[in-house]
Amino acid sequence: NLNRILPRAKSETILEPLEVDLNISDFRVTGRINPIYSERLLHYRYAQVKARDRLRVWLYHLALNSVMTDTYPRTSMLAGLEPDKSHEVVWAAWGYSPVENSKAILEILLKKYWEGLMKPLHFFPDTSWTYVHAIREKNKSEEDACNSARRIWEKTDYYRGECEDPYYQLCFGNTDPLDLEFRRIAEQVFRPFLDHQKEI
C-alpha cells in the first residue's frame, strides 16, 4: 500500500512553499511549489499514474532545480498506481535526481508550448509517453514503439483512444499525426525526463 511506498517521505518535515520567479529566454515563469519535504518534492495520487502526472512533476522538478536555493532539496518523487508485469495494478514510486541543465530543458519545453499556441503540435501525452517509454525502458525498436503508441492513439471496441479527444479531432481530423514530427517532439519532451527518473 501507499504507506509502504512513502513511509520515509511522510516522516520528513514539510517546508514552506517555494516561490518561483524565473526568467528563461523570452519567458517568465512564476508560481509556488508544494508540498516540499526536507529531502524531496513529493507528488502522489490515489489512481493510476498518467503521462500528465509525469509531466506535472517533471515541470515542478525542473523549476525547483532552476531556483537553486540551499534551503530546499533538488530531488523529487512521484507515487501512484501502475500495472505490473502481470497487468495487476499496484503501488509504484519514482525518484527524480538533480538536473544540472534544468533551465535549458525548461526553455525547450516553454518553446514547444509557445509553438503549440501558434499551430497544432504533434504531441499527445499518453501516446508520446508510450512511444518514448517503449524505446528507452522496454528496449523496443522504433517500429515496435510506434506500434505501441498507435494502440494508445487509436480507439478500439474496448478502449477510448487518445485520438478521440475533441481538441485533437478538431486539429487533426482524419489525418495521421503520428509522424516524424511526433517522434521528434516525444523524444524532446520525455527523453530528459527518463534520463533523471529511477523507479524506487
Side-chain angles (χ1 to χ4, degrees):
N1 61 32
L2 186 61
N3 289 327
R4 278 187 233 158
I5 295 282
L6 305 177
R8 184 175 171 190
K10 292 173 79 175
S11 67
E12 295 170 12
T13 303
I14 298 181
L15 305 178
E16 289 294 320
L18 176 63
E19 299 293 336
V20 175
D21 190 348
L22 296 168
N23 289 303
I24 299 175
S25 188
D26 295 327
F27 301 94
R28 185 177 180 193
V29 179
T30 62
R32 178 179 292 175
I33 302 177
N34 63 44
I36 305 176
Y37 291 78
S38 55
E39 292 187 21
R40 76 202 85 218
L41 166 69
L42 177 62
H43 281 265
Y44 61 91
R45 58 173 295 178
Y46 292 97
Q48 189 167 329
V49 173
K50 303 291 186 185
R52 285 175 176 83
D53 302 311
R54 299 180 193 280
L55 278 173
R56 184 178 297 110
V57 75
W58 181 232
L59 289 170
Y60 276 87
H61 182 65
L62 290 173
L64 177 66
N65 277 262
S66 296
V67 172
M68 292 289 289
T69 172
D70 293 335
T71 55
Y72 285 83
R74 294 181 60 206
T75 58
S76 300
M77 181 177 174
L78 171 66
L81 295 171
E82 178 86 344
D84 63 10
K85 291 180 180 178
S86 63
H87 302 290
E88 182 180 344
V89 178
V90 297
W91 282 105
W94 301 267
Y96 302 93
S97 59
V99 185
E100 300 305 325
N101 60 335
S102 56
K103 284 188 176 181
I105 296 172
L106 264 178
E107 182 179 355
I108 291 170
L109 296 177
L110 287 166
K111 286 181 176 178
K112 285 298 163 196
Y113 167 76
W114 188 254
E115 185 181 329
L117 296 177
M118 303 295 109
K119 66 173 186 175
L121 202 63
H122 292 213
F123 177 76
F124 319 99
D126 293 329
T127 305
S128 300
W129 164 256
T130 300
Y131 171 74
V132 178
H133 186 259
I135 291 175
R136 290 295 306 279
E137 301 295 304
K138 297 184 177 180
N139 297 314
K140 288 188 176 182
S141 68
E142 195 168 309
E143 182 181 354
D144 287 342
C146 285
N147 290 334
S148 296
R150 192 165 296 284
R151 285 193 289 272
I152 301 300
W153 175 251
E154 294 176 350
K155 65 179 181 178
T156 69
D157 292 337
Y158 308 101
Y159 181 79
R160 183 180 184 275
E162 197 169 16
C163 71
E164 293 189 279
D165 181 292
Y167 293 105
Y168 298 153
Q169 287 285 326
L170 179 65
C171 291
F172 300 104
N174 295 320
T175 65
D176 181 12
L178 304 192
D179 54 10
L180 288 175
E181 183 182 352
F182 158 78
R183 298 181 195 183
R184 178 177 56 81
I185 295 172
E187 289 275 359
Q188 286 179 320
V189 173
F190 283 119
R191 183 175 287 273
F193 171 84
L194 283 170
D195 286 342
H196 292 85
Q197 175 180 272
K198 182 179 181 180
E199 189 164 358
I200 298 173

